[in-house]
Amino acid sequence: MDVEVSYLHNLETGESEWSPEFDLLFYAALSKNVSFYERLAAFDWPFLKEAYIEWTPANFRVWFGRKRICWGPAYYGNLLIGPWYYDRELLAFKEQEGLNAVGLQVRMGDFTAKYFTSILQSEGGRDDKPQRNLCGHRFEWRPKSNLTLAFSETVLYTHRGIEPLYAMPSIISYYWIDGYFRDVLKKGVNDNLFMSFDVDWKVDEKKRVYWEFLIDDMEDELLIPGEHTEYPQLLGTTLGGEWKNPFGSKAIDLLRLEYTAITRWVYAPTIGGHEATKYTYHDRIIGHWLGPDADLLTGEVVKNFGKKLQVFLMYQRERHGEGRDISEPWNEEEYGTETQFLSGTVETSHRIRAGMEYFISKKTSGSFIYEHENIINEDNQVGKEKNIDRIKLGLKARF
């Protein structure tokens, strides 16, 4: 059982908010290679966060049910499938909801293949709520024990049932399958395809660097230098790293830096497609919570005082262009074909966050956070400025 209670107070407005969370966890080994896991939330909707059966014979892993999926090396959010979203009101990362899916993982020496197929929405046959399906596969290669290279793909498709060519595990790229539907079978499909490349390198025991690159609906011209596309190229990238005791310093136990940039219309409905092709699940982005036409720079230092107290100091600069609305469709007459990033009037937020966490026991801790935020051009309105000061008290316990 997990219990988390937080209290957030806005020093400017005097407004306060309590946020209790109460999760029940259940795990059972049904046999030597079969297990069941469940996570039930008492106060959130949907109540069932995760519930799946997993079979793990030898180098295989097969699961069925509702499970959280995370692909990528980044710390503050991954571009293709993120493990969480950031709740700005509560100053906290929240777990993404699990997907109702079937998944498979196979390990062969230095290679690992992962796959899943999911029905995000089952109300098929109606234009207002068509069936929405999501499939994905990922291939990881570890040429060295400290280096992982990966290629991942997902496809979100609507207005039809499970597509066998997408749904079955294979090494065939969804990009080629989509082309086969359109060019050979002459299907009028408009599927939302994503591919990503990532690298995770543990330089030594103290240093780690990582990189992720996302392509949304890749155009052939992207592979040909100097060529111009018929549509804007939709891209995202994250570069980050961690360094323990940087420069041999004893004053800092961990330094963490990360930068993410996402161009306009990433995660939005496919060009010329239906609103249902937005890359969302329960109205939250499946990929990075930051959203399109935005970037995020984060620097954080952590210091431990014994085993009981951890203190951190964080700085973030978050920017959003006018194309932040994920429902906004692309229009050639209005926007042209050039890739856009931080378009129009840019909203810029500077945040300084300081906090500490005291570990009362191995399973219980209390925390305190203070945050000052300065917002320039709030809501992309020129000259509109806002300052926010907030404090947060929290308590976590596992029984």
Side-chain angles (χ1 to χ4, degrees):
M1 180 172 64
D2 282 346
V3 177
E4 182 174 352
V5 179
S6 61
Y7 169 77
L8 186 68
H9 182 74
N10 189 313
L11 297 177
E12 267 75 33
T13 64
E15 296 177 345
S16 301
E17 181 178 356
W18 286 93
S19 177
E21 291 190 22
F22 180 71
D23 291 355
L24 295 174
L25 286 73
F26 178 75
Y27 174 83
L30 305 180
S31 68
K32 181 180 179 181
N33 297 318
V34 179
S35 59
F36 174 76
Y37 177 83
E38 180 180 81
R39 188 180 186 97
L40 185 68
F43 301 123
D44 293 334
W45 179 262
F47 296 118
L48 198 61
K49 288 186 175 180
E50 291 186 278
Y52 60 90
I53 293 177
E54 191 169 57
W55 179 43
T56 56
N59 294 325
F60 286 79
R61 184 183 299 269
V62 182
W63 57 269
F64 169 78
R66 174 173 291 185
K67 185 178 181 180
R68 294 174 63 238
I69 301 173
C70 171
W71 288 353
Y75 186 82
Y76 298 103
N78 293 313
L79 295 169
L80 187 66
I81 303 180
W84 47 60
Y85 67 94
Y86 186 68
D87 190 322
R88 291 180 174 84
E89 297 301 321
L90 296 179
L91 307 183
F93 284 98
K94 299 291 185 179
E95 293 180 346
Q96 288 278 27
E97 297 162 12
L99 299 178
N100 298 317
V102 176
L104 169 67
Q105 178 176 313
V106 182
R107 183 171 235 172
M108 299 168 289
D110 297 331
F111 291 89
T112 300
K114 300 178 181 179
Y115 152 86
F116 76 89
T117 184
S118 170
I119 298 177
L120 303 180
Q121 181 173 281
S122 59
E123 297 93 336
R126 303 194 325 232
D127 283 341
D128 59 336
K129 285 189 176 182
Q131 180 162 329
R132 305 175 72 238
N133 310 291
L134 179 69
C135 292
H137 54 214
R138 177 176 172 86
F139 305 99
E140 298 177 351
W141 176 41
R142 293 181 178 84
K144 296 182 179 180
S145 61
N146 63 338
L147 178 64
T148 301
L149 309 175
F151 168 73
S152 307
E153 279 188 309
T154 59
V155 56
L156 194 154
Y157 59 99
T158 65
H159 290 83
R160 60 194 194 273
I162 295 294
E163 194 73 71
L165 285 179
Y166 283 145
M168 67 180 184
S170 72
I171 61 173
I172 301 174
S173 171
Y174 295 146
Y175 174 73
W176 294 335
I177 296 175
D178 180 69
Y180 176 74
F181 287 152
R182 289 184 287 104
D183 302 334
V184 178
L185 299 183
K186 304 300 181 182
K187 284 188 176 183
V189 300
N190 211 309
D191 303 333
N192 205 352
L193 295 108
F194 296 81
M195 61 176 62
S196 73
F197 306 85
D198 60 79
V199 179
D200 190 352
W201 180 30
K202 295 180 181 178
V203 182
D204 54 36
E205 293 182 354
K206 292 189 175 183
K207 294 190 266 318
R208 169 179 173 249
V209 294
Y210 52 84
W211 171 72
E212 183 179 5
F213 182 66
L214 176 77
I215 304 174
D216 180 356
D217 292 323
M218 187 181 77
E219 300 296 319
D220 294 335
E221 290 82 359
L222 181 66
L223 304 175
I224 307 174
E227 286 291 324
H228 294 282
T229 65
E230 297 181 7
Y231 309 104
Q233 199 67 66
L234 314 181
L235 308 171
T237 191
T238 292
L239 179 64
E242 298 176 345
W243 192 358
K244 297 179 181 178
N245 303 117
F247 306 106
S249 171
K250 294 183 179 180
I252 300 175
D253 288 327
L254 179 65
L255 169 64
R256 192 178 284 127
L257 297 171
E258 187 174 295
Y259 176 73
T260 295
I262 305 173
T263 65
R264 194 169 186 173
W265 299 298
V266 172
Y267 306 131
T270 54
I271 294 172
H274 192 276
E275 171 78 5
T277 60
K278 287 190 305 184
Y279 198 59
T280 59
Y281 180 50
H282 290 166
D283 296 323
R284 291 197 183 101
I285 296 173
I286 297 171
H288 203 294
W289 52 268
L290 185 64
D293 203 17
D295 73 346
L296 176 70
L297 174 65
T298 303
E300 182 178 12
V301 293
V302 179
K303 173 63 178 177
N304 295 307
F305 293 90
K307 296 182 179 180
K308 292 287 189 179
L309 180 63
Q310 183 179 86
V311 178
F312 76 90
L313 178 64
M314 175 190 291
Y315 166 76
Q316 283 188 322
R317 186 200 65 189
E318 182 177 339
R319 299 188 293 179
H320 290 270
E322 293 182 2
R324 65 198 302 171
D325 184 1
I326 196 174
S327 299
E328 179 189 53
W330 171 81
N331 180 285
E332 182 176 3
E333 293 183 0
E334 183 175 358
Y335 302 112
T337 60
E338 294 298 320
T339 297
Q340 294 189 19
F341 173 62
L342 297 180
S343 55
T345 300
V346 178
E347 177 193 277
T348 302
S349 297
H350 297 279
R351 287 190 289 268
I352 297 177
R353 187 178 304 149
M356 62 179 67
E357 184 170 10
Y358 182 77
F359 297 90
I360 303 168
S361 68
K362 290 183 178 180
K363 297 183 178 181
T364 307
S365 67
S367 61
F368 169 82
I369 297 174
Y370 166 77
E371 179 184 86
H372 172 76
E373 181 175 16
N374 172 244
I375 306 174
I376 303 169
N377 298 332
E378 184 186 14
D379 298 325
N380 304 102
Q381 298 179 33
V382 177
K384 186 179 179 181
E385 189 169 349
K386 185 177 183 180
N387 288 290
I388 306 173
D389 288 278
R390 291 175 285 195
I391 58 172
K392 178 183 177 181
L393 301 175
L395 178 66
K396 296 180 183 178
R398 169 166 286 191
F399 301 96

